[in-house]
Amino acid sequence: MPEIKRSYDNNGEEVIEVDMHPKDILHNPILNKGTGFTEEERIDLGIHGLLPYHTSTIEEQVERRYANFRSKESEIDKYSFLMALQDRNETLFFNLVSKHAEEMLPYIYTPTVGDASLNFSYLYNQNRGIYLSYPFKDRMDEMVARIPKERVDVIVVTDGGRILGLGDLGVGGMAIPVGKLSLYTLFGGIHPDYTLPVLLDVGTDNPGLLSDPLYLGWRHERLKGAEYQEFIDLFVKAITKRFPNVLIQWEDFSKQNAQPLLERYKHHYCCFNDDIQGTAGVVTAGILAAIKGTDSDLKHHRLVIYGGGSAGIGVAHLITRAMVKDGMSEEDAKSRIFVLGRNGLAHTKSEGLDDLKKRYAQEAIVIEKWGVKNMQNISLHETIEHAKPTILIGTSAQPGSFTEELVVEMKKHVARPIIFPLSNPTSKSEALPEDLMKWTRGQALIATGSPFPPVEFEGKKYTIGQCNNVFIFPGVGLGVIATGAKRVTDNMFLRAAEVLSRFAPILNNPFGSLFPRIKQLPVISKTIATEVGKVAIEEGVCDHPPEDVEKAVEKAYWQPKYPKIKRKK
């Protein structure tokens, strides 16, 4: 492996010494500056004949690349342009996107990343991250040993089993870890050289992929049971042996696997599941913001969650913790949370309830008093009619399921209903914000999973906040890494939600958004990281806690500036 030595000078500037062939330097996205190499660097590194004469400032390069970006017409072309830039010059990529974050975020993540995942085998033109395929399971240690990095702080790993609301996309799921880690760097300041996207290829049950001659993954039905678990165990043991202090983020695993994997590993390794805990954190933040913005109290609210998978149950779990912290008993808190799955409302006499929904099953003796026709399939409308919720969360991937009739019924019982259609991508959203505003006469408090434009109603313009996990996980990750925390706890996500809710525009405007602007994220992430670090110390999960958490966070936060690069003597 070519030698790369990283240090910092007295001014805190990054200095990298290399022992590499000139062309290898230009082909390394961490080292490459393109036309940004100084004359001194070009001579020292032996690249002065490989570049045009002019030395560009990074501002000039950003201007040039932004013009290129704007010339692309389709969403997927803009995505491909940005990914190609990232593979060529990471510092320039992050500098460009940080300056145009609100414009570019939809192209490096949702909703465009969904199309990238669907077409991954056709778009593939790079080798970012590692692919660990089941047929090579006996070579796991060997594959992990060959990862060309000496340090990894955070891994995002998926098996492609449930990509957004699109289902099993097999190896196409790699677009998600790549995108999520870009957000870790962009908004959490995690050095891009210390991140690693991982795809665990355990097959696919998607018939279209299995029959596609250009599909790049292992063409085999998806593994289940003991074989699947053995493979995941091999990965966890090998990767934590190579990188013992790494933070692992589980991403887009199926409902059947997400919660069991989290429960299996979270007490022994530094890991969390963003679909469960990250989603719960950002949804809780949105709810707390709505409650603060309307001068109400959490204990007076009732919550319906339409979609009883891992994300929905994660929301139920964190909201329960928030209610208990607010002074309620756990039993009372759970009595205010109604979870619906494929067979309707979960209650204690529901047939075939999985373990997730059993935790939030309503007492049947209470539900029987509703007088519904079929206790084994209580509909969303029946639940809203009888439970009279103030909050409605959609994690169902069932587009259009929040109908006008249903929303009007909800509005009968609450002046300003809190409605979050969260399913991604946009095509899977349970309702359109425009319709929700019309049906509630401009009174709904709305947040969505995918970005939507502002809505105009009766002369007023409403900004629709995006309930995006990017508001939570970069800050949590930064706090864990900066303090050297050995575990990720639920209280870290609850604290992160509380911090995020304090930035909501609705606190200053009763019709403002529930979530801040994307451009505020660096400040928000640092604030979350500082509070998460304090929780880590309070809960005793740091072996060597820093004396000043805020300073530790600031020191760990990477900025997209070119380092000084020189040849190792």
Side-chain angles (χ1 to χ4, degrees):
M1 185 184 301
E3 185 175 348
I4 299 176
K5 181 182 178 182
R6 180 177 282 110
S7 61
Y8 294 86
D9 64 18
N10 293 333
N11 297 318
E13 297 293 320
E14 188 176 13
V15 179
I16 298 179
E17 296 180 70
V18 299
D19 179 19
M20 298 171 66
H21 190 279
K23 282 202 170 182
D24 290 336
I25 295 171
L26 295 178
H27 290 153
N28 184 311
I30 292 292
L31 302 177
N32 183 27
K33 302 183 184 183
T35 58
F37 282 103
T38 66
E39 181 178 351
E40 180 183 5
E41 287 174 324
R42 296 179 188 211
I43 294 172
D44 181 42
L45 299 172
I47 58 175
H48 47 290
L50 302 177
L51 296 166
Y53 171 77
H54 177 68
T55 294
S56 301
T57 65
I58 198 166
E59 290 76 19
E60 290 173 339
Q61 291 179 307
V62 165
E63 184 179 353
R64 192 177 295 123
R65 295 282 77 81
Y66 185 58
N68 291 162
F69 170 81
R70 294 297 298 269
S71 72
K72 308 301 178 186
E73 295 185 359
S74 73
E75 287 81 0
I76 204 69
D77 283 345
K78 290 182 176 181
Y79 169 87
S80 297
F81 170 81
L82 290 171
M83 293 303 99
L85 177 59
Q86 185 179 14
D87 287 336
R88 198 167 62 248
N89 183 335
E90 293 224 57
T91 304
L92 179 56
F93 166 80
F94 285 112
N95 198 293
L96 169 68
V97 177
S98 67
K99 287 181 170 59
H100 303 280
E102 293 187 349
E103 180 180 0
M104 293 183 175
L105 184 59
Y107 302 110
I108 63 173
Y109 205 64
T110 55
T112 310
V113 73
D115 290 333
S117 297
L118 286 167
N119 297 285
F120 184 83
S121 292
Y122 295 82
L123 296 172
Y124 180 84
N125 62 359
Q126 49 79 31
N127 192 29
R128 181 171 291 273
I130 59 169
Y131 299 78
L132 303 175
S133 303
Y134 182 77
F136 302 130
K137 69 182 180 69
D138 293 337
R139 295 177 175 267
M140 180 67 75
D141 288 336
E142 177 185 333
M143 291 187 291
V144 169
R146 288 180 176 174
I147 295 171
K149 290 176 180 281
E150 293 302 317
R151 171 180 171 182
V152 174
D153 287 344
V154 59
I155 286 170
V156 177
V157 56
T158 187
D159 70 352
R162 188 204 57 82
I163 300 302
L164 303 177
L166 302 171
D168 182 351
L169 298 186
V171 76
M174 180 54 116
I176 300 297
V178 169
K180 278 287 176 79
L181 286 167
S182 295
L183 303 184
Y184 261 113
T185 298
L186 189 62
F187 302 123
I190 308 302
H191 198 300
D193 203 24
Y194 302 154
T195 68
L196 181 68
V198 177
L199 188 286
L200 302 176
D201 189 357
V202 292
T204 177
D205 289 334
N206 185 324
L209 296 179
L210 291 172
S211 62
D212 185 347
L214 296 182
Y215 176 59
L216 288 171
W218 180 42
R219 297 183 200 196
H220 191 281
E221 63 182 23
R222 183 170 284 275
L223 293 181
K224 299 175 179 65
E227 284 184 310
Y228 177 86
Q229 188 58 68
E230 178 193 15
F231 185 66
I232 306 297
D233 282 343
L234 286 172
F235 159 70
V236 172
K237 290 175 183 176
I239 206 75
T240 54
K241 180 180 178 182
R242 173 82 196 273
F243 305 110
N245 299 317
V246 71
L247 167 64
I248 300 174
Q249 176 176 314
W250 304 99
E251 187 72 32
D252 282 356
F253 284 76
S254 68
K255 180 178 74 172
Q256 292 76 19
N257 293 322
Q259 189 71 45
L261 288 177
L262 179 62
E263 294 297 330
R264 184 178 182 89
Y265 299 117
K266 71 177 183 179
H267 300 297
H268 307 286
Y269 300 95
C270 186
C271 68
F272 72 96
N273 184 300
D274 188 48
D275 303 300
I276 299 173
Q277 295 157 291
T279 299
V282 75
V283 172
T284 300
I287 291 172
L288 293 177
I291 290 171
K292 292 175 185 176
T294 54
D295 292 322
S296 57
D297 196 302
L298 183 57
K299 62 176 175 284
H300 296 146
H301 286 266
R302 296 172 302 282
L303 174 69
V304 166
I305 300 173
Y306 186 59
S310 53
I313 297 301
V315 171
H317 177 69
L318 202 62
I319 286 292
T320 299
R321 293 184 76 93
M323 287 178 169
V324 169
K325 186 177 179 181
D326 207 38
M328 298 174 65
S329 68
E330 184 170 334
E331 182 181 5
D332 191 15
K334 287 185 174 181
S335 72
R336 293 174 172 271
I337 299 173
F338 301 79
V339 176
L340 288 90
R342 291 180 180 177
N343 298 319
L345 178 66
H347 56 79
T348 52
K349 288 188 179 178
S350 295
E351 296 174 358
L353 274 190
D354 59 40
D355 291 337
L356 288 178
K357 286 188 275 294
K358 281 180 181 178
R359 302 177 189 182
Y360 292 92
Q362 289 287 319
E363 290 294 334
I365 193 171
V366 176
I367 304 303
E368 285 169 341
K369 295 177 182 178
W370 291 1
V372 297
K373 293 180 180 179
N374 183 2
M375 281 288 287
Q376 293 305 317
N377 195 356
I378 299 174
S379 70
L380 178 58
H381 189 279
E382 287 173 319
T383 302
I384 288 177
E385 181 183 359
H386 294 283
K388 299 178 175 55
T390 58
I391 304 167
L392 176 61
I393 306 295
T395 56
S396 67
Q398 299 298 313
S401 51
F402 292 175
T403 64
E404 180 177 6
E405 180 185 17
L406 185 152
V407 172
V408 169
E409 177 64 35
M410 183 180 180
K411 181 69 173 64
K412 291 178 183 178
H413 314 298
V414 56
R416 300 203 65 188
I418 300 168
I419 305 176
F420 291 3
L422 299 180
S423 293
N424 282 315
T426 311
S427 60
K428 298 292 185 180
S429 182
E430 286 81 5
L432 300 178
E434 182 180 8
D435 290 334
L436 294 175
M437 279 297 181
K438 181 172 63 177
W439 299 336
T440 63
R441 309 300 301 170
Q443 294 302 303
L445 296 159
I446 302 168
T448 56
S450 289
F452 280 90
V455 172
E456 290 191 15
F457 181 78
E458 294 186 347
K460 286 185 179 181
K461 191 173 186 178
Y462 299 85
T463 299
I464 305 301
Q466 187 184 0
C467 196
N468 192 326
N469 292 19
V470 73
F471 284 112
I472 290 287
F473 71 81
V476 171
L478 176 60
V480 168
I481 292 167
T483 58
K486 300 297 184 183
R487 303 287 179 270
V488 183
T489 69
D490 289 335
N491 283 332
M492 292 178 181
F493 286 95
L494 184 55
R495 184 76 63 90
E498 292 167 348
V499 170
L500 177 57
S501 71
R502 300 202 294 262
F503 287 85
I506 194 174
L507 302 187
N508 300 312
N509 174 1
F511 294 95
S513 171
L514 300 179
F515 290 95
R517 297 280 297 273
I518 291 295
K519 66 181 181 181
Q520 293 178 262
L521 257 172
V523 171
I524 293 170
S525 293
K526 289 180 184 179
T527 308
I528 288 175
T530 299
E531 291 303 311
V532 163
K534 291 177 182 177
V535 172
I537 294 170
E538 291 164 9
E539 297 192 324
V541 295
C542 297
D543 287 344
H544 305 287
E547 292 182 6
D548 188 321
V549 176
E550 190 172 354
K551 285 184 178 178
V553 166
E554 197 63 47
K555 183 179 179 182
Y557 198 96
W558 178 82
Q559 301 284 356
K561 299 187 297 183
Y562 285 136
K564 299 175 183 177
I565 302 179
K566 58 185 181 180
R567 184 161 295 283
K568 188 176 184 296
K569 304 302 182 184

